[in-house]
Amino acid sequence: MADRERQVTRAFVALADTLVDDYDVADLLHTLVKQCVELLDIEAAGLTLVDERGGLQVLASSTEQARLIELFQLDTEEGPCVDCFTSSTPVLVADIAAEAGRWPRFAVEAASDGFASVHALPLRLRRQTIGALNLFGHTAGELSADDVALAQGLADTATIGILHERAFRKGEILSEQLQTALNSRVIIEQAKGVLAVSGQLSMDAAFTALRGYARRTNRRLSDVARALADRELVPAVVLAPAASRPR
């Protein structure tokens, strides 16, 4: 019992470290399925994760058999993993053969791969479900309530780590987009100044001319502004009346 408690502690510490340290999501998920096999009364574990298009992908598995049965469920859209994800609730199957009427193709495939039981737990945070953790047994039988609670706790901790990483990555992208927008704005202000001086215009009128030229020539506003600032585009061309330009 003491050894198991130490294993559980190490498992949660390893998952919690993802919140404060640089890490690889794929490595995190493989660590999770390995820990499940070590800590729970199961023979294999697999994990599916939703992609940006809303489809499930197999991200980690403790054995090749677990990976294949996961892929089979996704290909046929049938099985506890799929039901768990769509319902956002645990799907605990003590005897797959007894549920053949519910998942006929999955039951046959699971038996051929040597699996008699499966327990699917959602990876979820509040109302957001991002995947499912699937635990496979070679013999029929229920998982203890303690094992189910432990597995869900591991899945929940991993979910927090994954969403944390996604938010961080999204934040980086948004920061880059914001910086690009700020840089473009500086260039546009420079181009407005060039046009204002050249055409003796107000800054508002200069911007109107700049935007009008960009639209008429189907060019990006920032590209036209940069061309003016870098003197690759002559101000007179931008300021010339539209009617005087060659079509």
Side-chain angles (χ1 to χ4, degrees), residues 43-45 63-67 69 96-97 106-107 109-118 135-140:
E43 276 71 44
T63 66
E64 180 64 11
Q65 287 77 15
R67 186 182 75 86
I69 194 64
I96 296 174
F106 169 75
E109 188 69 19
S112 67
D113 288 337
F115 296 123
S117 61
V118 58
L135 312 173
F136 300 96
H138 287 166
T139 58

Side-chain angles (χ1 to χ4, degrees), residues 78-94:
E78 176 189 303
C81 167
V82 176
D83 286 5
C84 174
F85 175 74
T86 55
S87 67
S88 297
T89 58
V91 177
L92 309 178
V93 185

Side-chain angles (χ1 to χ4, degrees), residues 41-56:
D41 186 20
I42 59 171
E43 276 71 44
L47 190 143
T48 58
L49 200 65
V50 67
D51 60 23
E52 295 179 352
R53 294 171 295 182
L56 285 175

Side-chain angles (χ1 to χ4, degrees), residues 125-205:
L125 182 63
R126 301 183 181 92
R127 296 183 179 181
Q128 183 175 7
T129 301
I130 63 171
L133 172 64
N134 306 288
L135 312 173
F136 300 96
H138 287 166
T139 58
E142 297 180 354
L143 276 183
S144 69
D146 287 343
D147 275 1
V148 172
L150 175 56
Q152 188 65 68
L154 291 169
D156 291 344
T157 304
T159 302
I160 293 171
I162 295 166
L163 293 177
H164 174 78
E165 189 273 343
R166 286 185 175 180
F168 180 75
R169 184 178 59 198
K170 185 177 181 181
E172 285 186 326
I173 294 172
L174 291 176
S175 295
E176 291 173 2
Q177 293 174 338
L178 177 59
Q179 189 59 50
T180 298
L182 291 173
N183 292 340
S184 296
R185 190 63 195 174
V186 171
I187 297 299
I188 290 171
E189 291 300 321
Q190 292 176 357
K192 284 167 56 179
V194 170
L195 293 177
V197 172
S198 180
Q200 296 184 350
L201 304 172
S202 67
M203 295 296 281
D204 288 342

Side-chain angles (χ1 to χ4, degrees), residues 3-24:
D3 184 58
R4 177 178 168 83
E5 290 179 354
R6 284 193 293 270
Q7 286 182 300
V8 171
T9 299
R10 285 196 296 268
F12 278 103
V13 168
L15 292 174
D17 281 345
T18 63
L19 299 176
V20 295
D21 196 8
D22 187 23
Y23 71 101
D24 180 355

